[in-house]
């Protein structure tokens, strides 16, 4: 089966990978929410492990790091005041790493993320990882693209869940994962398969 050219290639956008030292790492919604209960994701533990490798590499390279958390309010799976909504221990922020709270899938929408990036002196290169691929990762990549940033998504440091399709038939998580990453790669950003590929750039 043949494939169509991406919108990125049609309009001449550059697909060169960024150097991690020159980028800002944005860790999107790495919350306990996604490891257990109603919002548990397929492949969450593997994505957390990849996210931890990416985070260690970013810190070692001297890259800026920003953490994002989704706040759904008290009593929800996204309650950031409770353990369920807290950032997962393996990828928790250290002193000096800002945490931006959001309430919409796009982490730039009605948040301090853009202001935070300016204060950090961030350039155009953003590296994104986190949850969920088809939702907050995709829409944050789109938000970054719309603001003139150049997002790169690390695929193995993301994950999503199975959902019912428009006809009610189950859509497996791996299908939604592939579709979301393909959507990002068509226009909004660069997608790399894993942390190791990014670190070779």
């Amino acid at each position: 089966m043949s494939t169509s050219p991406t919108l990125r290639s049609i309009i001449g956008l550059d697909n060169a990978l960024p150097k991690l030292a020159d980028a800002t790492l944005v860790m999107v919604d790495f919350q306990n929410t996604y490891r257990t209960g109603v919002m548990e994701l397929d492949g969450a533990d593997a994505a957390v492990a990849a996210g931890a490798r990416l985070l260690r590499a970013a810190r070692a390279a001297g890259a800026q790091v920003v953490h994002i958390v989704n706040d759904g309010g008290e009593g929800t799976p996204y309650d950031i005041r409770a353990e369920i909504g807290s950032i997962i221990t393996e990828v928790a922020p250290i002193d000096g790493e800002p945490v931006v709270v959001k309430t919409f899938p796009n982490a730039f929408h009605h948040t301090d993320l853009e202001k935070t990036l300016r204060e950090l002196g961030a350039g155009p290169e953003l590296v994104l990882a986190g949850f969920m691929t088809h939702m907050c990762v995709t829409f944050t990549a789109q938000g970054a693209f719309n603001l003139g940033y150049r997002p790169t998504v690390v695929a193995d440091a993301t994950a999503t869940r199975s959902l019912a399709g428009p006809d009610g038939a189950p859509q497996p998580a791996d299908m939604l994962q592939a579709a979301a990453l393909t959507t990002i790669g068509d226009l909004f950003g660069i997608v790399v398969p894993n942390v190791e590929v990014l670190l070779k750039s």
Side-chain angles (χ1 to χ4, degrees):
M1 180 178 66
S2 62
T3 60
S4 301
T6 65
L7 289 170
R8 293 183 66 83
S9 66
I10 290 170
I11 63 178
L13 292 178
D14 180 12
N15 282 324
L17 296 182
K19 292 189 179 300
L20 192 54
D22 298 331
T24 300
L25 175 61
V26 181
M27 302 284 281
V28 180
D29 298 354
F30 273 102
Q31 294 166 260
N32 290 318
T33 308
Y34 294 115
R35 273 188 147 172
T36 186
V38 67
M39 293 304 300
E40 184 176 358
L41 305 183
D42 290 9
D45 288 344
V48 170
R53 295 197 308 276
L54 178 60
L55 182 57
R56 286 193 299 270
R59 288 168 176 165
Q64 300 282 5
V65 179
V66 179
H67 300 262
I68 310 294
V69 291
N70 188 71
D71 185 8
E74 293 185 14
T76 73
Y78 297 94
D79 184 355
I80 63 174
R81 289 151 293 274
E83 179 65 20
I84 188 66
S86 297
I87 295 176
I88 295 165
T89 301
E90 295 97 308
V91 289
I94 59 175
D95 288 346
E97 293 177 353
V99 178
V100 173
V101 178
K102 69 178 179 64
T103 55
F104 291 88
N106 175 4
F108 289 92
H109 186 68
H110 290 321
T111 73
D112 292 330
L113 179 54
E114 190 176 11
K115 177 185 175 186
T116 299
L117 292 172
R118 286 198 304 267
E119 290 174 347
L120 292 173
E125 302 286 0
L126 302 182
V127 173
L128 275 56
F131 303 137
M132 293 178 289
T133 318
H134 81 282
M135 187 58 62
C136 296
V137 174
T138 295
F139 289 106
T140 297
Q142 180 187 19
F145 174 84
N146 290 347
L147 290 169
Y149 291 99
R150 191 172 179 274
T152 296
V153 174
V154 182
D156 72 339
T158 67
T160 194
R161 72 195 202 280
S162 301
L163 291 168
D167 61 355
Q171 303 299 311
D174 60 351
M175 182 181 296
L176 289 179
Q177 175 82 354
L181 293 169
T182 302
T183 297
I184 294 167
D186 191 27
L187 179 62
F188 303 134
I190 301 161
V191 177
V192 294
N194 54 57
V195 176
E196 289 66 34
V197 168
L198 179 64
L199 295 182
K200 292 176 182 177
S201 63

